[in-house]
Amino acid sequence: MASRALAYCVRSVARSSARLNHGNVLTRSACAPVVSNQRLLSVISCSQRTRWTELVRISGPSVHLCRHYGDLPPLTLESIKERVMYVLKLYDKISPEKLQTSSHFMKDLGLDSLDQVEIIMAMEDEFGFEIPDAEAEKLMTPAEIVQYIADKKDVYE
Amino acid sequence: MAAVYLTHHQKVLRLYKKSLRHIESWCIFRDKYRFYACLLRARFDENKHEKDMVKATIMLKAGEEEFWANQHPQPYLFPDSPGGTSYERYECYKVPEWCLDHWHPSEKAMYPDYFAKREQWKKLRVQSWDREVQQLQTETPADGPKSEALPPARKEGDFPPLWWQFVTRPRERPM
């Protein structure tokens, strides 16, 4: 809500000064940290229903309008999948060659339910949020885990 | 979870998980935690082939009591889990979707594509509501539903029952 108001202010400032300072702004934004660009983009792209679809940055003194709270880069389905597979490959009871996204822990990989609990705990540690037991006992393949995490984290819902 | 009661298997798994989390809270160094976690796993493994349920229940109760005696007073909780720092922090920003209908037309004109699509979705919902209700009525047993899980859509081109609430649920982290 605050970010939407900020985005509106950003848009109005940008609209007024975009044409003048387009060249300067690009060089200045190139040296701004990557996270700030992503944050700025995400704020602008999330309110993308306006006509303002080109990548306009704001100029000079007002470039630090957006607050960069201590936030992580946004998750994508591929990044979640990579992290899940990476953690699973590190587990010593799974051989990395046999691991696929659709391999069932009990049937294909021959793991125990205690192993599955440990795997779910590793996923919780990796992504930083708790998976309740009722839903954790149903997650039996890496694809299901990816789907659950994407569900909880609003990734391409 | 299908029923309200937990099976023995589920209880054992929950005990395992919470005791691992509390060991993690006690042993802050990772290698020490790993050592004690392996010891705990070995203790669970040697009894896992017990077929006699009476003995198994007694062992589970003893395990729960041992957990209670050895639990950490301030275990590590994830921020989003109950008791954590950001649990339900964003609940007040999760506005229900019917509030979108109360926007002023000038505000709605700022997002024309979205509201056009929204009108189509609402028409779909109106059309499929009767079929969903009928499906639920036919599939629920006479003395009430057994669990909270909703059945999936049975026929082609049909929507699963009460899909609207699921589809329009607020994001986990509202903007």
Side-chain angles (χ1 to χ4, degrees):
Chain A
M1 314 182 46
S3 62
R4 199 172 296 169
L6 273 173
Y8 183 69
C9 297
V10 161
R11 280 204 301 278
S12 56
V13 168
R15 212 176 285 133
S16 58
S17 54
R19 271 172 244 122
L20 297 173
N21 300 13
H22 201 61
N24 292 357
V25 159
L26 286 178
T27 52
R28 201 182 317 257
S29 60
C31 35
V34 177
V35 176
S36 70
N37 282 353
Q38 279 184 352
R39 185 84 186 163
L40 189 56
L41 262 182
S42 67
V43 166
I44 286 188
S45 61
C46 286
S47 6
Q48 39 81 354
R49 291 97 177 192
T50 63
R51 284 148 286 144
W52 207 243
T53 48
E54 68 236 66
L55 298 178
V56 182
R57 311 294 165 96
I58 31 175
S59 67
S62 53
V63 75
H64 299 298
L65 266 184
C66 282
R67 298 274 180 86
H68 313 300
Y69 302 110
D71 209 356
L72 297 166
L75 289 173
T76 58
L77 276 177
E78 288 80 23
S79 75
I80 297 177
K81 190 165 87 79
E82 271 174 29
R83 283 164 77 176
V84 166
M85 299 307 272
Y86 184 69
V87 168
L88 285 175
K89 282 178 187 143
L90 287 174
Y91 191 51
D92 58 350
K93 293 193 192 175
I94 300 182
S95 54
E97 296 84 28
K98 284 199 333 186
L99 184 65
Q100 306 273 315
T101 25
S102 55
S103 45
H104 196 268
F105 292 138
M106 312 256 183
K107 295 182 211 158
D108 298 333
L109 301 171
L111 295 177
D112 201 5
S113 51
L114 289 171
D115 295 319
Q116 194 252 347
V117 168
E118 285 181 16
I119 287 173
I120 298 292
M121 283 180 67
M123 295 301 153
E124 287 180 359
D125 288 331
E126 168 72 24
F127 290 98
F129 69 98
E130 188 177 357
I131 301 176
D133 295 321
E135 308 183 5
E137 61 199 12
K138 297 184 198 136
L139 301 172
M140 282 294 167
T141 71
E144 276 181 22
I145 295 177
V146 169
Q147 196 54 47
Y148 180 83
I149 294 174
D151 211 19
K152 283 285 155 189
K153 293 278 173 181
D154 304 324
V155 179
Y156 295 139
E157 52 178 343
Chain B
M1 196 159 66
V4 175
Y5 299 106
L6 294 174
T7 62
H8 178 84
H9 184 75
Q10 281 169 327
K11 285 184 204 167
V12 167
L13 291 180
R14 277 162 212 243
L15 174 66
Y16 181 60
K17 186 167 175 184
K18 61 186 190 196
S19 40
L20 271 182
R21 284 283 176 220
H22 282 245
I23 290 176
E24 193 179 357
S25 301
W26 279 120
C27 311
I28 47 176
F29 300 111
R30 206 68 194 171
D31 47 354
K32 184 174 171 198
Y33 159 66
R34 205 59 248 157
F35 176 70
Y36 285 104
C38 293
L39 289 184
L40 183 76
R41 177 67 198 263
R43 284 175 66 185
F44 269 81
D45 273 339
E46 63 180 292
N47 295 330
K48 82 175 167 182
H49 297 295
E50 183 71 53
K51 292 290 173 223
D52 183 14
M53 283 319 290
V54 177
K55 257 196 236 164
T57 328
I58 293 171
M59 279 199 283
L60 176 65
K61 187 147 166 51
E64 290 277 359
E65 281 169 8
E66 187 187 337
F67 168 77
W68 185 258
N70 294 350
Q71 63 181 321
H72 195 280
Q74 287 166 325
Y76 174 70
L77 287 166
F78 290 103
D80 283 328
S81 61
T85 50
S86 91
Y87 180 56
E88 290 188 338
R89 179 189 278 179
Y90 300 103
E91 285 297 305
C92 54
Y93 300 110
K94 291 181 185 173
V95 181
E97 53 87 25
W98 50 260
C99 295
L100 281 171
D101 294 331
H102 292 268
W103 282 20
H104 195 267
S106 64
E107 294 174 336
K108 282 193 195 175
M110 292 206 281
Y111 303 96
D113 307 327
Y114 178 73
F115 279 96
K117 224 194 313 182
R118 193 182 148 78
E119 293 303 313
Q120 291 170 357
W121 280 107
K122 286 205 285 194
K123 277 198 207 101
L124 269 178
R125 169 202 186 191
V126 165
Q127 283 161 4
S128 77
W129 175 248
D130 294 320
R131 287 196 301 251
E132 291 167 36
V133 166
Q134 198 192 14
Q135 182 191 342
L136 279 177
Q137 277 173 341
T138 45
E139 296 199 6
T140 323
D143 52 342
K146 292 276 180 251
S147 74
E148 287 201 13
L150 292 170
R154 304 285 172 200
K155 291 200 283 276
E156 285 300 317
D158 214 2
F159 287 114
L162 304 180
W163 62 275
W164 181 256
Q165 281 171 330
F166 183 72
V167 164
T168 52
R169 72 188 192 279
R171 297 163 74 137
E172 296 291 327
R173 288 286 172 99
M175 292 167 59

